[in-house]
Amino acid sequence: MENVKEITQKESVIEANSPKHYKLIVIGLVVGIFGIMLRFVSDWEYINIVSNILFALGSFICLKAVLRILK
């Protein structure tokens, strides 16, 4: 029975260290930073709304990736 538990733990560690999670974090960071930098680019009327949406989207993507790692 312990052998099955060890195999499950090893698979969990391998899944947590998968590069796809970290690529998703990088994508989320880029989207979020782009949203922050967009605030300083223009005086367009709706730039704050667009930048806030991009920042929230980037934050959501990062949180999704972190929760997948912890799973």
Side-chain angles (χ1 to χ4, degrees), residues 46-66:
Y46 300 108
I47 199 77
N48 281 334
I49 295 171
V50 173
S51 65
N52 286 337
I53 290 171
L54 285 175
F55 180 65
L57 181 65
S59 298
F60 176 75
I61 291 170
C62 288
L63 286 174
K64 184 177 176 182
V66 169

Side-chain angles (χ1 to χ4, degrees), residues 34-48:
F34 182 72
I36 291 170
M37 297 301 289
L38 194 62
R39 294 177 187 210
F40 305 107
V41 172
S42 173
D43 292 334
W44 182 48
E45 185 176 343
Y46 300 108
I47 199 77
N48 281 334

